[in-house]
Amino acid sequence: MSTASTIPPLRGTVTVAVPVDRAFQVFTDSFGTWWPSEYHIGQAEMAAAVLEPHAGGRWYEQGVDGSECDWGRVLAWEPPHRLVVTWQINGQWQYDADPEHASEIEVRFTAEGPGQTTVELEHRLLDRLAGGQAIHDTVRGGGGWTAILELFAKAIANQA
């Protein structure tokens, strides 16, 4: 039996004009300031996107009504070079609590000099998701992860 993924990973890359530690900090600590508020799955409009800063932490949204809606968990927290979270949002854009149904998003931060960092994102194991092909096609069709990373890059540029 083959365990190879049938849905190709999604990737995105952006280079930002800040040191690697600053890039990691803005990506994680300021996650809610650059993540687009229209990209939420809760019933209420999103007030904040939260990424808890430790392995085992939650990745979730807070609604304007105080509700919370999980997106996944933090699998690896390795500042300032690496972050891995689960994506537990299925093809119907609903949270799936079963970790066996989780895809993974790995973000790597690589210093390209004292004031420049390349950020590479890979969203993999999409075949684990119920409706994983729908997630793949929707994310890719919306500009993919590169479009999201460009919002992150704009947030960094605006803080400079």
Side-chain angles (χ1 to χ4, degrees):
M1 185 167 132
S2 175
T3 58
S5 180
T6 58
I7 304 171
L10 295 162
R11 293 183 174 90
T13 302
V14 70
T15 300
V16 293
V18 296
V20 67
D21 56 340
R22 180 70 180 144
F24 187 91
Q25 180 186 28
V26 171
F27 192 95
T28 57
D29 294 352
S30 302
F31 183 73
T33 65
W34 59 267
W35 184 266
S37 61
E38 63 271 19
Y39 290 8
H40 69 93
I41 61 169
Q43 294 296 316
E45 292 298 313
M46 188 172 73
V50 181
L51 182 63
E52 294 179 345
H54 57 87
R58 295 169 59 211
W59 182 40
Y60 64 100
E61 66 185 70
Q62 293 175 326
V64 295
D65 62 356
S67 62
E68 294 183 351
C69 186
D70 284 339
W71 295 351
R73 296 285 180 268
V74 178
L75 295 179
W77 183 266
E78 301 169 9
H81 298 290
R82 183 172 175 257
L83 168 71
V84 181
V85 295
T86 62
W87 170 284
Q88 292 177 240
I89 301 170
N90 65 28
Q92 290 73 47
W93 296 97
Q94 298 170 338
Y95 177 72
D96 184 340
D98 186 344
E100 295 296 314
H101 296 167
S103 60
E104 294 179 359
I105 298 171
E106 180 172 4
V107 187
R108 292 192 172 271
F109 301 80
T110 305
E112 302 295 343
Q116 187 165 297
T117 303
T118 297
V119 180
E120 298 172 287
L121 183 149
E122 180 184 61
H123 189 172
R124 60 184 176 237
L125 305 174
L126 291 150
D127 54 314
R128 289 183 180 176
L129 298 169
Q133 188 66 52
I135 293 289
H136 176 276
D137 295 348
T138 301
V139 171
R140 188 182 64 193
W145 284 106
T146 297
I148 297 292
L149 291 175
E150 287 170 357
L151 295 174
F152 159 69
K154 286 179 186 175
I156 284 185
N158 289 338
Q159 293 180 7

